[in-house]
Amino acid sequence: MAEKGIPSWPKVTIRLYDDHNAEVKIAGRSHPVNHHDPRQAAIQLVSERAAQLGRPVKATAVESDGASWPLIIHPDGQVESVDVDAKSSKPIWPIIVATIVAGVLIAATVIYLAVLRPGGDDVTKPTVSPKLPELPAPSVGPDQFAARPVPPGWTANASWTVDINPDTAPAVSPDGKEVAIITPDEKIAVFDSAGKVLWQDKVPRGAETPVYTTVDGKRVVAVVAPESLYYWAGDGAEAVELDLPNSATVQFFGTSPLVILSGDAGASVVTGGALKPLPTPQRLTTLLLAEADKALSARYAGPLYWDQPDKDAVPVMPTLPKGATAIDHIVAASPGRALVIYKTKVAEQVIPAVVDSRTGNAVAICPTVAPNVAAGWQWVPDDAHKVAAWGECLINFASKKTVYSKDFEPLSITGVTVYGQNNSNLLFGTPGGPFRTMAPGTARPWGVAGTHAIVVHDGVLYALDKPK
């Protein structure tokens, strides 16, 4: 079979050490093999990865004496050799043996399923996912948070603390039941709200801050590392690892990962355990985010477009709120929402509005302001779509009311509490309610896990308690 058309990623190496031991490396991740036939076991492992991708993969097999040869391994376990220089002295018998073994296994499986399998067997029952290895647990213990003023409504007592990689931040799950961190010794560790380690896994050096997101409709925690995207479904199951093309970036502005390729190479969404390329975008559009296997893009003056692999783009035109004459421009987006600036009959007045990205209907309309004022506004939404702050416009989606707060700059939202500043004053409050001043340097929570506010200082995570 010609290897043309088979992507070179993921990089797969099968290294045979002796009659019982081998190592399979897939995109830099090591999978030790100890088996009475390590070739058979290694090929089975790679074929499972090929099945996840839905296509054959290239692999390099390396014998214990250093001899190597290129292979193509199919999802069904079939193995083919790639032609090499005829002068090569590398032995090819291992390829033949591996191919025969794989063929025998496949044939035996077909015969069993078609002829010998007892009628009562449930062949649709999935196999058990491989489990993560046991790793030394990080040191977790109580402490006092004395470095800075505590956030309002919390105490300085931390029921549990743990060191984190100082170049990263913690992630709190949307339901507040988990906290994920990158440890200083390059592991991802996930805790329950009481500080108990639920599971751990090793990550490559340079792994970025973990993110809770969704893939194929399921919540996962994802980590971007050099050349790879990893995501874990929890319960100790191993990560799915996706190789990233050169210079690709991953953003999590939406509910799901969006992989943006370099230059004009396009973008991909993550679905079915693989990267699926999006169709060529509409002219003059900018990609905004991904939700499931769809991506949202927009032209400067509209419309919005929903793009999906192998399907035509679906346009969504934002509707005009009362007093608007036309769309001035689309600013940005977050899950389920798009930010639109509308023109009015008055040249120096615009209407900022938040629209539903599926229907285009307005869900929040901010007071009319000058264009240069709205241009500097930052968008800070909460995870539950209850409140948001768009610069000086504070939004309560439940009551569908907006409040204008002159010179307010939002910084973050925890629950429905908005943290921000007005000139040099730190403030906190809820949209439509009073805002109060905080002491300078007050810690702001990354989230609330159970009954604890998660704050970070100097490479240490503190789970602060509520007052008794």
Side-chain angles (χ1 to χ4, degrees), residues 153-396:
W154 305 92
T155 71
N157 186 67
S159 287
W160 60 277
T161 66
V162 66
D163 291 344
I164 70 171
N165 184 316
D167 295 325
T168 64
V172 180
S173 64
D175 60 10
K177 293 182 178 180
E178 295 180 0
V179 180
I181 67 167
I182 302 297
T183 65
D185 59 347
E186 294 162 0
K187 294 182 296 186
I188 180 173
V190 175
F191 304 79
D192 67 12
S193 61
K196 177 185 175 182
V197 177
L198 299 176
W199 57 267
Q200 299 181 89
D201 198 7
K202 294 181 179 178
V203 294
R205 185 184 298 274
E208 299 176 8
T209 291
V211 178
Y212 279 93
T213 184
T214 58
V215 175
D216 294 327
K218 297 179 181 179
R219 191 190 74 186
V220 301
V221 58
V223 168
V224 178
E227 302 180 356
S228 296
L229 168 66
Y230 299 86
Y231 62 89
W232 295 260
D235 295 327
E238 285 190 335
V240 175
E241 178 190 357
L242 300 179
D243 292 328
L244 297 175
N246 290 338
S247 302
T249 59
V250 185
Q251 57 105 308
F252 298 95
F253 296 151
T255 58
S256 302
L258 177 63
V259 180
I260 301 175
L261 309 182
S262 61
D264 298 324
S268 297
V269 290
V270 180
T271 180
L275 296 181
K276 295 293 180 66
L278 292 165
T280 302
Q282 303 293 312
R283 290 184 64 251
L284 304 176
T285 58
T286 300
L287 273 170
L288 301 176
L289 51 78
E291 295 187 17
D293 63 345
K294 300 180 178 67
L296 181 66
S297 60
R299 285 183 177 155
Y300 187 77
L304 299 161
Y305 291 96
W306 284 102
D307 299 305
Q308 192 173 9
D310 304 319
K311 294 187 178 181
D312 294 334
V314 177
V316 177
M317 180 59 74
T319 57
L320 298 181
K322 183 179 180 180
T325 58
I327 295 175
D328 185 86
H329 66 284
I330 295 174
V331 179
S334 63
R337 308 282 189 253
L339 311 183
V340 185
I341 300 291
Y342 292 92
K343 297 177 181 178
T344 68
K345 294 179 179 180
V346 181
E348 291 305 313
Q349 295 289 310
V350 295
I351 300 174
V354 182
V355 305
D356 186 310
S357 57
R358 296 284 178 176
T359 65
N361 296 329
V363 294
I365 301 173
C366 296
T368 303
V369 294
N372 64 317
V373 172
W377 286 0
Q378 297 297 314
W379 172 243
V380 181
D382 76 324
D383 292 332
H385 309 293
K386 294 181 179 180
V387 301
W390 187 5
E392 299 168 318
C393 179
L394 304 177
I395 302 168
N396 185 323

